[in-house]
Amino acid sequence: MKTVLMVAEKPSLAQSIAKILSRGNMSSRKGLNGACSVHEYTGSFIGQSAHFKMTSVCGHVMTLDFIGKYNSWDKVDPAELFSKAPTEKKEANPKLTMVKFLQVEGRGCDCIVLWLDCDKEGENICFEVLDAVLPVMNKPRSTERTIYRAKFSSITDTDICNAMNHLGEPNRNEALSVDARQELDLRIGCAFTRFQTKYFQGKYGNLDSSLISFGPCQTPTLGFCVERHDKIQSFKPETYWVLQAKVNPEKDSSLTLDWDRVRVFDREIAQMFLNITKMAKEAKVESVSKKEKVKQRPLALNTVEMLRVASAALGMGPQHAMQIAERLYTQGYISYPRTETTHYPENFDLKGCLRQQANNPYWAETVKALLSEGINRPRKGHDAGDHPPITPMRAATEAELGGDGWRLYEYITRHFIATVSADCKYLQTTISFSIGPERFTCIGKVVTSPGFTEIMPWHSIPLEESLPHCEKGGLFPVGEIKLLEKQTSPPDYLTEAELITLMEKHGIGTDASIPVHINNICQRNYVTVESGRRLKPTNLGIVLVHGYYKIDAELVLPTIRSAVEKQLNLIALGKANYHQVLEHTLDIFKRKFHYFVDSIAGMDELMEVSFSPLAATGKPLSRCGKCHRFMKYIQAKPSRLHCSHCDDTYSLPQNGTIKLYKELRCPLDDFELVLWSSGSRGKSYPLCPYCYNHPPFRDMKKGMGCNECTHPTCQHSLSMLGIGQCVECENGVLVLDSTSGPKWKMACNKCNVIVHFFENAHKVRVSPETCDLCDAALVDVDFNKAKSPLPGDETQHSGCVFCDPVFQDLVELKHAAMRHPMHRGGQGKRQGRGRGKGRRPGGRLNPKKPKDKMAALAAYFV
């Protein structure tokens, strides 16, 4: 019996697909990485009985990055990133050990069926999975086919079974186009970002952005927002005049007429027209025309239109809307939400899709009427050859989906019903009047057949007062004629919906990446989202775009990225060579980068006007070890210390508070120590600003505080305060937080584990002695006599935190409340556990783990 491995893109999809294919008769177990499950069942595969193993990945298995040494901002010239710096594929999420998991499940399998999402990213993940699994699968006979690709657009029984019966092959060209995009974005983005971040953060203190990033798609996206801002700023309002007339067809009613000239910009001429028309007492009907007009039903729904409506009508950001749509898709409520197509395939079961909605109280009547009277053929849209348009796949209730999930599902369903409804028809009556020599018009609309506007009421024709019956030549008394003074108004800031339209029009990003680019410019503090989801550029965003325009407008204009996207699409179609496109594009941007570096002074002039230099920012905090003057603490992102006398800047851990640490100094460089804290429930540790940026010992990396310092005698170092190996992570050491009393704690110097112990103790010290059982350092504890929990009213005790029965009830494990999981950068894995190297002469390099650690955990940390 053959064994067939099947891989989906997400665990929830794997479960749904396995359930459908096995008809619910399957066994499930957790995979070794804990994140993915494996669903097993037996069935037939290409006419033979087979054992199926259905599992999944969690998005991309691999990610592209530079090899180790090129990830150092300090040691590498950004220009080298265009060609010299080699790249490598690394595991996207090392904690998931996805490659190992796939190899364990793939070992001994005969065939593989790839159920990844059917878009370019999905094709790319197909080959990532194959790279991991093929080496461990059974070797096929010479002509035997072992790799299959399932193509599907929704998680329904019909679609999944149909995909299983018509298996294809993964598309290498589409995967290569994704590889090309990843490499271009990595090399171009990193080179520009590193250069401008280091240049400007080294000069200005109040930029308030931890990264001044550049992206081939992100920057033109920001350019659209700043272009609209510039139009608003340069707008000069003009005064104009409008003639407004009212006629009285009957005694108690009046009709407001619109002037055919619309408006004039000269006050005297407007006054002249007013004087002429005021002489006439009656308005004469010159013509009456009636015309039946049609408001077309919408095209089928694609991703871009869904994101536009979600932002404009539902008040959801594109990133949030996309996440909700993906969730609805994986739960089987809607079809695949990433598509550029607005045309239903010929074999699409419109009636079947409609029948599922016949019992929903919100639209049951409309649906039943359509099914009985016959549906309308949908409008012919654009077929991009990817997925069918977004449609509901099964009925749902508000209670099932809740909140935003229901609101988006409701819109998708209403849109689908509208596409098979009739057009909206209305009768437009236009009456033309003359008052003296001037012409005026009045328009009225009456709906004759509401069509699709019944299900999409926000598109309905607004109700208007019905026009009086009149015939050509009829006369009506003029009620009043007046001159209205008005002003032209500037355009408003771009809404997300308008920005999405511009990005689609100019080919910036794909339907999948557009929300990411918009989210990025918000995260980087380049724009803020104002009411009505309008995007207002910040000072930093404006200066950056103006600077790019000044140096090289093509960096911010959409033209060059649009051309690159076309080349990437040609790779996907097999019409362009992957290596040639990559080489050519990188060569263009490398030249642009060198010119940008040479001309950076042009952008710097704009920065000087808007931002303050480092020396003028921040407040004095701690003394510099070189000149012994106070350094200024700059709180704006990224927080750092700056010595204006030495003109040096020292980076600090982010996302926490920094304060002076008892005016104590580092024994190595005489800098005053500062204390970083993530809050009362989090962890804190002292650090030397100089050592944090310039590691003093070989086994230390940049970005390490005193809790990782291997100085043999400093009272704040890991050597003196380290207690034992972390109970959860591999390389961490639990270090006493000597500032935490009377609520004493020790915290891991790598992960966010915190151990609370000895509350209300007077003193807690780390002893030079070690535990005989587990090699952890012993702890000396002094309690006040009144509050001592020790037996026999003792106030002092020395013992092991892990093994001493006296300490058993005084220890409690927690996880730190971090404001952000990446509370500092630049950590490197360091060999040596426990107390670290150099604790004292003859100290062990690798103290053993506490014996029977799980039993110790059960006893102490429950």
Side-chain angles (χ1 to χ4, degrees), residues 530-564:
E530 305 291 310
S531 62
R533 300 211 69 82
R534 294 191 178 275
L535 301 169
K536 184 179 181 181
T538 61
N539 226 355
L540 180 58
I542 294 162
V543 170
L544 278 175
V545 169
H546 289 175
Y548 293 133
Y549 270 119
K550 198 172 179 184
I551 296 170
D552 179 358
E554 281 192 335
L555 291 174
V556 76
L557 287 171
T559 45
I560 195 160
R561 182 60 192 193
S562 182
V564 171

Side-chain angles (χ1 to χ4, degrees), residues 496 517-529 535:
E496 282 172 336
H517 301 313
I518 295 174
N519 191 51
N520 280 346
I521 61 172
C522 298
Q523 294 285 318
R524 299 279 186 265
N525 194 30
Y526 294 160
V527 298
T528 55
V529 182
L535 301 169

